[in-house]
Amino acid sequence: DIDDEVRHMTAMVEDLLLLARSDSGAIALDRLPVDLGDVAADGASALAKPASDRGVTVEVDPQPAVVTGDPARLRQLVMILVDNAIRHSPSGQSVNVAVRTGAQIEVAVHDHGPGFPDDFRDHAFEPFTRADPARNTRTGHSGLGLAIARALVEAHGGRIWLAAGAGGDVRFSIPRKEPA
């Protein structure tokens, strides 16, 4: 129990440090050409075990999408969104991750859970905000995930939003890599 609590507290401190760096504009990124479709598939597949434990499947539909970004931070971003989706999906359902190219590269993470309450939408990306505070307090989640996701997206020059519709649907877009 002590080891679990130390891991949880260490992760929370690291998350808070990342947010503090974000507020000061000091998130260090390795800017490399990277295929966001591959990164999304890798990040989502890393959560196969927790998804399976909850009776949820994760389906990824990536298009090749080259961006200039930090592969580790982009993977972290996808994992935050997929983890949230897994936690809010009913057993027997799926979490869908799609990567699409266009003027920007867009990633959509959709679950078949209850969706986002209207009063949550305006504050979803603020630190310590939770759609269901009672549920997340019991499970040890701090309400930092979407705030960190926003910081990572913005550090890559993009934007993140909650899409309208049934279920939970979080999307982000970042600029595509310009040909050299």
Side-chain angles (χ1 to χ4, degrees):
D1 288 345
I2 292 172
D3 284 343
D4 287 343
E5 191 60 28
V6 168
R7 275 192 288 281
H8 175 72
M9 294 303 293
T10 300
M12 187 180 298
V13 168
E14 289 172 356
D15 289 348
L16 289 168
L17 285 171
L18 177 62
L19 287 175
R21 288 186 192 108
S22 167
D23 288 345
S24 67
I27 293 180
L29 296 177
D30 291 329
R31 296 205 180 264
L32 307 167
V34 60
D35 186 331
L36 191 51
D38 289 345
V39 170
D42 179 56
S45 69
L47 294 168
K49 172 87 170 96
S52 176
D53 291 348
R54 290 192 45 85
V56 174
T57 58
V58 178
E59 299 171 356
V60 184
D61 181 16
Q63 288 182 341
V66 179
V67 300
T68 299
D70 186 317
R73 291 298 187 185
L74 291 169
R75 183 178 189 270
Q76 178 184 13
L77 167 60
V78 169
M79 289 181 69
I80 288 168
L81 299 180
V82 172
D83 179 59
N84 275 348
I86 291 168
R87 285 187 286 112
H88 293 94
S89 288
S91 182
Q93 295 291 326
S94 63
V95 169
N96 306 95
V97 182
V99 180
R100 296 292 177 259
T101 60
Q104 302 256 325
I105 306 301
E106 185 174 303
V107 177
V109 178
H110 178 79
D111 67 62
H112 300 277
F116 301 104
D118 289 337
D119 60 342
F120 176 74
R121 291 181 174 280
D122 292 337
H123 307 286
F125 299 100
E126 296 172 5
F128 305 110
T129 301
R130 302 179 205 131
D132 180 356
R135 179 183 179 273
N136 289 330
T137 299
R138 289 189 310 270
T139 60
H141 295 283
S142 62
L144 294 174
L146 291 178
I148 291 169
R150 180 186 65 192
L152 294 174
V153 167
E154 290 176 353
H156 283 88
R159 68 182 193 94
I160 188 168
W161 66 97
L162 301 179
D169 195 348
V170 181
R171 295 172 185 243
F172 70 89
S173 64
I174 58 176
R176 60 186 314 133
K177 180 183 182 316
E178 295 301 320

